[in-house]
Amino acid sequence: MDVARAFAEKERLQGLIDAAVLAAAGTTDKNARFAIASAMLSKASDEPLDIEDVLLAENADGSLTGTYSGSIKTNFLQLAGLPSFDLKVSATALASEESAASTDCIYVLASQGQDVLINSGANIYSKTCRVNVHSKASPAFIMNSGAKIDTAKFCVKGTNYIKNGGTLSNLEVGCTPAADPYAGTLPEPMVSSSCTTSGTMDGQRITLKPGVHCATTFNGSPTITFQPGLHIIKGRMIINSGATVNAQGVSFYFPDVNSEIRANGELTFTATAPTTGTYKGLLMFEKTSDASNNANKQQYIFNGSKGEILEGIIYLPNRNVTYNSTTNQVNRITLVVNQMIMNSSNWLLEPYTSGSSTPSTGAYVRLIQ
């Protein structure tokens, strides 16, 4: 039990150090780096780490290394003369002029086992997209026969996986996946207690103004237009089979993990993120500042689209995403999820490159160690 606690604590500390150096490496000012790293460490939902316990070192290539050395007390092994375990973690981040969006477009963050499942009929193609799987579990991913994943890179942190057939191009195991580029940086709107729309809506053509949409269901097969702006989806929005959705210049925000847009198949869906303003680049995102919300991962299904066009950042780190949809042209997205299932989808994919609401220094920051 003491050893298991020590390993769990070391992994938690590693995540904190990774986040701190990634946040701080984007600036070259030494004082600013210290302040940014301190702010990131203080955001930890449990037992924030004191910046005084972390050594920050600037390297000759401009990268930043953070190192923490400490210990954890034992409960049982102290009876055998071992009162504590020494713990040491470090990480190095480098900022370069390469854009994060120009290469990395899928991030799967979980490490619980079978964190990516690629089923028969899944077809994903991208010339430049890199897939980042953070799982070190056994297995980290499973791929079944009849699937084809052809991306620029399929990076898996762990080395154990199950491949029952299919084609998986440019697989690298035991590599360092790119970290979540948006952790702790996205704006979270205040959610009004009153609803702009709610309940069941009928009609062949329905237009929704920006606002809070509460547990809304659309009957029949209407054409639904979301006007440009922020649309807060509170509860489940159900869009029935055969509907057409137009959402140009729109951000969808989910204030908790039980809120979602659920389509029932045969949907034509066109959605693009705003190109200016507070929510620039954000197509779909969710609340992540609530620790209890973050601890309650839920399923999210991109279901049965017969034609789909998406452009923007889809930030759902608390969702186990199932993707069943078909695209009729290239989707340009950056997708961050907890776990991912790829079913019989035909997906043409390239990274989203039209900007985001993330604070920018003009550099792409990545972990190199």
Side-chain angles (χ1 to χ4, degrees), residues 271-292:
T272 62
T275 57
T276 60
T278 302
Y279 306 105
K280 176 183 177 182
L282 292 176
L283 181 58
M284 293 183 180
F285 66 117
E286 65 181 353
K287 185 172 185 176
T288 58
S289 61
D290 185 331
S292 61

Side-chain angles (χ1 to χ4, degrees), residues 299-344:
Q299 185 183 48
Y300 194 103
I301 300 176
F302 288 87
N303 202 24
S305 293
K306 65 179 182 181
E308 181 177 83
I309 302 170
L310 301 177
E311 289 191 10
I313 297 163
I314 300 175
Y315 190 68
L316 301 174
N318 291 323
R319 308 303 178 102
N320 300 325
V321 168
T322 298
Y323 204 92
N324 299 323
S325 296
T326 297
T327 64
N328 50 16
Q329 72 173 47
V330 174
N331 276 0
R332 302 187 185 280
I333 63 171
T334 300
L335 176 67
V336 182
V337 300
N338 185 56
Q339 295 179 323
M340 188 170 189
I341 298 175
M342 304 175 192
N343 285 326
S344 51

